[in-house]
Amino acid sequence: HKFSRQGNGYVSLNGDMICRNGEEVLDVKDILIPGVHNVENYMAAIAAVGRAAFAFAPHFKPTSAIIIITAMVFGPEAGFLTGAIAALASNLFFGQGPWTPWQMFAYGMAGFVSGVLQSRGWMPKKPLWQGVVGFVLIVALVGPLLDCNTLFTTAVTLNWKNVAIILTNGLVFANWQHGLAVAVTMVLISEPLQYMLQRVKTKYGML
C-alpha cells in the first residue's frame, strides 16, 4: 500500500515492513514512540476529572496524589507538566483567573519534587509512608504556594503579619484537608496505579 509518492520514489507498507522504492527498510515493530507527553496529557486529564468529581468538597481532592504517582514513575519533568496541565484543564470547569498560574506552578512542583525524591531513592516504598510524604508536600509546599495567590491578590500590605495570617488560615481551613486527601489516595491507589504506569512505560519504551 503506497502512502507517499514523490517523483519516481515512493514509500509503502508491506505487511509489517516499511519499504522505500520497494526495498524493505524498517520493521514497524522497531518504532517505539517515546510519548511521555501523551501519558502526561492522559494523567493530567484523570487528575483534572478527580478534582472536578470532588467539587462538593473543595479542599478534599485526589488530584495531587495522581500527579505525585505519575512523577514517581516517569520522573520530575513529567510530574511538573502533569501537575501544570491538570490545574489548567480543571480550571476549565472551575474557572480561570489570576489563581491559575499559581495553581499550575504549585501542582507542578508537587510532581517535580516527588519525581526528584523517587529518582534519588528517597521516596518510601510502602504506600502508607508515601501518603505521609504526600501529606507533608501539600502542607509544606503546595498549600503555601497556593496561598501566595491569596497573599498577592488580597493583602493590602505585604508584611510578615499578613503573611502569617494568610498561611495560618490556609493551613487551618484548607491545606490539612488537601494533604489528608492526598495521603488517603496514595494509600489506596499508589501500588496499582504505579504498576499500570510501569507496564505502559515498559511496553512503549519510555525509559
Side-chain angles (χ1 to χ4, degrees), residues 36-52:
V36 176
H37 60 283
N38 291 323
V39 175
E40 293 160 0
N41 293 335
Y42 296 144
M43 297 310 296
I46 294 171
V49 169
R51 187 178 176 208

PDB file of all heavy atoms in Angstrom, residues 36-52:
ATOM      1  N   VAL A  36       6.069  10.166  26.287  1.00  0.00           N
ATOM      2  CA  VAL A  36       5.770  10.506  27.680  1.00  0.00           C
ATOM      3  C   VAL A  36       4.784  11.665  27.746  1.00  0.00           C
ATOM      4  O   VAL A  36       3.944  11.737  28.634  1.00  0.00           O
ATOM      5  CB  VAL A  36       7.077  10.868  28.430  1.00  0.00           C
ATOM      6  CG1 VAL A  36       6.770  11.308  29.851  1.00  0.00           C
ATOM      7  CG2 VAL A  36       8.013   9.672  28.447  1.00  0.00           C
ATOM      8  N   HIS A  37       4.870  12.551  26.738  1.00  0.00           N
ATOM      9  CA  HIS A  37       3.949  13.692  26.730  1.00  0.00           C
ATOM     10  C   HIS A  37       2.503  13.233  26.630  1.00  0.00           C
ATOM     11  O   HIS A  37       1.602  13.869  27.169  1.00  0.00           O
ATOM     12  CB  HIS A  37       4.287  14.636  25.571  1.00  0.00           C
ATOM     13  CG  HIS A  37       4.204  13.992  24.227  1.00  0.00           C
ATOM     14  ND1 HIS A  37       5.198  13.153  23.760  1.00  0.00           N
ATOM     15  CD2 HIS A  37       3.262  14.033  23.255  1.00  0.00           C
ATOM     16  CE1 HIS A  37       4.852  12.716  22.548  1.00  0.00           C
ATOM     17  NE2 HIS A  37       3.692  13.227  22.229  1.00  0.00           N
ATOM     18  N   ASN A  38       2.270  12.107  25.923  1.00  0.00           N
ATOM     19  CA  ASN A  38       0.913  11.579  25.852  1.00  0.00           C
ATOM     20  C   ASN A  38       0.449  11.085  27.218  1.00  0.00           C
ATOM     21  O   ASN A  38      -0.704  11.303  27.608  1.00  0.00           O
ATOM     22  CB  ASN A  38       0.855  10.427  24.844  1.00  0.00           C
ATOM     23  CG  ASN A  38       1.052  10.904  23.423  1.00  0.00           C
ATOM     24  OD1 ASN A  38       0.581  11.976  23.059  1.00  0.00           O
ATOM     25  ND2 ASN A  38       1.760  10.132  22.626  1.00  0.00           N
ATOM     26  N   VAL A  39       1.338  10.423  27.939  1.00  0.00           N
ATOM     27  CA  VAL A  39       0.994   9.963  29.288  1.00  0.00           C
ATOM     28  C   VAL A  39       0.704  11.153  30.189  1.00  0.00           C
ATOM     29  O   VAL A  39      -0.237  11.140  30.984  1.00  0.00           O
ATOM     30  CB  VAL A  39       2.138   9.105  29.874  1.00  0.00           C
ATOM     31  CG1 VAL A  39       1.830   8.719  31.321  1.00  0.00           C
ATOM     32  CG2 VAL A  39       2.356   7.865  29.028  1.00  0.00           C
ATOM     33  N   GLU A  40       1.518  12.198  30.061  1.00  0.00           N
ATOM     34  CA  GLU A  40       1.289  13.408  30.850  1.00  0.00           C
ATOM     35  C   GLU A  40      -0.103  13.954  30.596  1.00  0.00           C
ATOM     36  O   GLU A  40      -0.820  14.334  31.532  1.00  0.00           O
ATOM     37  CB  GLU A  40       2.337  14.471  30.505  1.00  0.00           C
ATOM     38  CG  GLU A  40       3.750  14.109  30.926  1.00  0.00           C
ATOM     39  CD  GLU A  40       4.791  14.899  30.171  1.00  0.00           C
ATOM     40  OE1 GLU A  40       4.405  15.732  29.323  1.00  0.00           O
ATOM     41  OE2 GLU A  40       5.989  14.684  30.405  1.00  0.00           O
ATOM     42  N   ASN A  41      -0.498  13.995  29.330  1.00  0.00           N
ATOM     43  CA  ASN A  41      -1.823  14.514  28.990  1.00  0.00           C
ATOM     44  C   ASN A  41      -2.927  13.647  29.573  1.00  0.00           C
ATOM     45  O   ASN A  41      -3.911  14.157  30.126  1.00  0.00           O
ATOM     46  CB  ASN A  41      -1.977  14.617  27.474  1.00  0.00           C
ATOM     47  CG  ASN A  41      -1.068  15.660  26.866  1.00  0.00           C
ATOM     48  OD1 ASN A  41      -0.660  16.602  27.542  1.00  0.00           O
ATOM     49  ND2 ASN A  41      -0.726  15.508  25.604  1.00  0.00           N
ATOM     50  N   TYR A  42      -2.778  12.310  29.437  1.00  0.00           N
ATOM     51  CA  TYR A  42      -3.794  11.404  29.965  1.00  0.00           C
ATOM     52  C   TYR A  42      -3.911  11.523  31.483  1.00  0.00           C
ATOM     53  O   TYR A  42      -5.017  11.605  32.035  1.00  0.00           O
ATOM     54  CB  TYR A  42      -3.457   9.946  29.598  1.00  0.00           C
ATOM     55  CG  TYR A  42      -3.478   9.662  28.124  1.00  0.00           C
ATOM     56  CD1 TYR A  42      -2.579   8.769  27.554  1.00  0.00           C
ATOM     57  CD2 TYR A  42      -4.410  10.277  27.277  1.00  0.00           C
ATOM     58  CE1 TYR A  42      -2.595   8.504  26.192  1.00  0.00           C
ATOM     59  CE2 TYR A  42      -4.435  10.019  25.919  1.00  0.00           C
ATOM     60  CZ  TYR A  42      -3.522   9.124  25.378  1.00  0.00           C
ATOM     61  OH  TYR A  42      -3.535   8.865  24.045  1.00  0.00           O
ATOM     62  N   MET A  43      -2.755  11.510  32.167  1.00  0.00           N
ATOM     63  CA  MET A  43      -2.780  11.565  33.618  1.00  0.00           C
ATOM     64  C   MET A  43      -3.269  12.925  34.114  1.00  0.00           C
ATOM     65  O   MET A  43      -3.949  13.013  35.141  1.00  0.00           O
ATOM     66  CB  MET A  43      -1.395  11.256  34.180  1.00  0.00           C
ATOM     67  CG  MET A  43      -0.887   9.858  33.856  1.00  0.00           C
ATOM     68  SD  MET A  43      -2.078   8.553  34.235  1.00  0.00           S
ATOM     69  CE  MET A  43      -2.219   8.712  36.010  1.00  0.00           C
ATOM     70  N   ALA A  44      -2.916  13.981  33.383  1.00  0.00           N
ATOM     71  CA  ALA A  44      -3.433  15.310  33.745  1.00  0.00           C
ATOM     72  C   ALA A  44      -4.944  15.347  33.604  1.00  0.00           C
ATOM     73  O   ALA A  44      -5.640  15.950  34.434  1.00  0.00           O
ATOM     74  CB  ALA A  44      -2.787  16.380  32.863  1.00  0.00           C
ATOM     75  N   ALA A  45      -5.469  14.695  32.561  1.00  0.00           N
ATOM     76  CA  ALA A  45      -6.922  14.650  32.376  1.00  0.00           C
ATOM     77  C   ALA A  45      -7.592  13.883  33.514  1.00  0.00           C
ATOM     78  O   ALA A  45      -8.622  14.311  34.048  1.00  0.00           O
ATOM     79  CB  ALA A  45      -7.255  13.992  31.035  1.00  0.00           C
ATOM     80  N   ILE A  46      -6.978  12.758  33.927  1.00  0.00           N
ATOM     81  CA  ILE A  46      -7.528  11.986  35.039  1.00  0.00           C
ATOM     82  C   ILE A  46      -7.497  12.809  36.325  1.00  0.00           C
ATOM     83  O   ILE A  46      -8.457  12.834  37.106  1.00  0.00           O
ATOM     84  CB  ILE A  46      -6.743  10.670  35.217  1.00  0.00           C
ATOM     85  CG1 ILE A  46      -6.972   9.764  34.002  1.00  0.00           C
ATOM     86  CG2 ILE A  46      -7.159   9.961  36.504  1.00  0.00           C
ATOM     87  CD1 ILE A  46      -6.084   8.537  33.983  1.00  0.00           C
ATOM     88  N   ALA A  47      -6.367  13.503  36.537  1.00  0.00           N
ATOM     89  CA  ALA A  47      -6.245  14.342  37.739  1.00  0.00           C
ATOM     90  C   ALA A  47      -7.268  15.463  37.726  1.00  0.00           C
ATOM     91  O   ALA A  47      -7.864  15.792  38.762  1.00  0.00           O
ATOM     92  CB  ALA A  47      -4.829  14.906  37.826  1.00  0.00           C
ATOM     93  N   ALA A  48      -7.481  16.058  36.554  1.00  0.00           N
ATOM     94  CA  ALA A  48      -8.464  17.143  36.445  1.00  0.00           C
ATOM     95  C   ALA A  48      -9.871  16.629  36.732  1.00  0.00           C
ATOM     96  O   ALA A  48     -10.658  17.287  37.420  1.00  0.00           O
ATOM     97  CB  ALA A  48      -8.393  17.764  35.051  1.00  0.00           C
ATOM     98  N   VAL A  49     -10.191  15.445  36.204  1.00  0.00           N
ATOM     99  CA  VAL A  49     -11.508  14.852  36.466  1.00  0.00           C
ATOM    100  C   VAL A  49     -11.657  14.548  37.956  1.00  0.00           C
ATOM    101  O   VAL A  49     -12.728  14.753  38.545  1.00  0.00           O
ATOM    102  CB  VAL A  49     -11.699  13.575  35.630  1.00  0.00           C
ATOM    103  CG1 VAL A  49     -12.937  12.802  36.086  1.00  0.00           C
ATOM    104  CG2 VAL A  49     -11.814  13.923  34.156  1.00  0.00           C
ATOM    105  N   GLY A  50     -10.568  14.080  38.586  1.00  0.00           N
ATOM    106  CA  GLY A  50     -10.608  13.815  40.018  1.00  0.00           C
ATOM    107  C   GLY A  50     -10.903  15.066  40.817  1.00  0.00           C
ATOM    108  O   GLY A  50     -11.627  15.029  41.816  1.00  0.00           O
ATOM    109  N   ARG A  51     -10.351  16.173  40.366  1.00  0.00           N
ATOM    110  CA  ARG A  51     -10.627  17.449  41.056  1.00  0.00           C
ATOM    111  C   ARG A  51     -12.079  17.863  40.864  1.00  0.00           C
ATOM    112  O   ARG A  51     -12.740  18.297  41.816  1.00  0.00           O
ATOM    113  CB  ARG A  51      -9.695  18.527  40.509  1.00  0.00           C
ATOM    114  CG  ARG A  51      -9.784  19.842  41.266  1.00  0.00           C
ATOM    115  CD  ARG A  51      -8.812  20.868  40.717  1.00  0.00           C
ATOM    116  NE  ARG A  51      -8.999  22.153  41.398  1.00  0.00           N
ATOM    117  CZ  ARG A  51      -8.742  23.327  40.847  1.00  0.00           C
ATOM    118  NH1 ARG A  51      -8.263  23.392  39.618  1.00  0.00           N
ATOM    119  NH2 ARG A  51      -8.948  24.439  41.522  1.00  0.00           N
ATOM    120  N   ALA A  52     -12.575  17.712  39.643  1.00  0.00           N
ATOM    121  CA  ALA A  52     -13.960  18.100  39.366  1.00  0.00           C
ATOM    122  C   ALA A  52     -14.954  17.184  40.084  1.00  0.00           C
ATOM    123  O   ALA A  52     -16.002  17.638  40.553  1.00  0.00           O
ATOM    124  CB  ALA A  52     -14.212  18.079  37.863  1.00  0.00           C
TER     125      ALA A  52
END
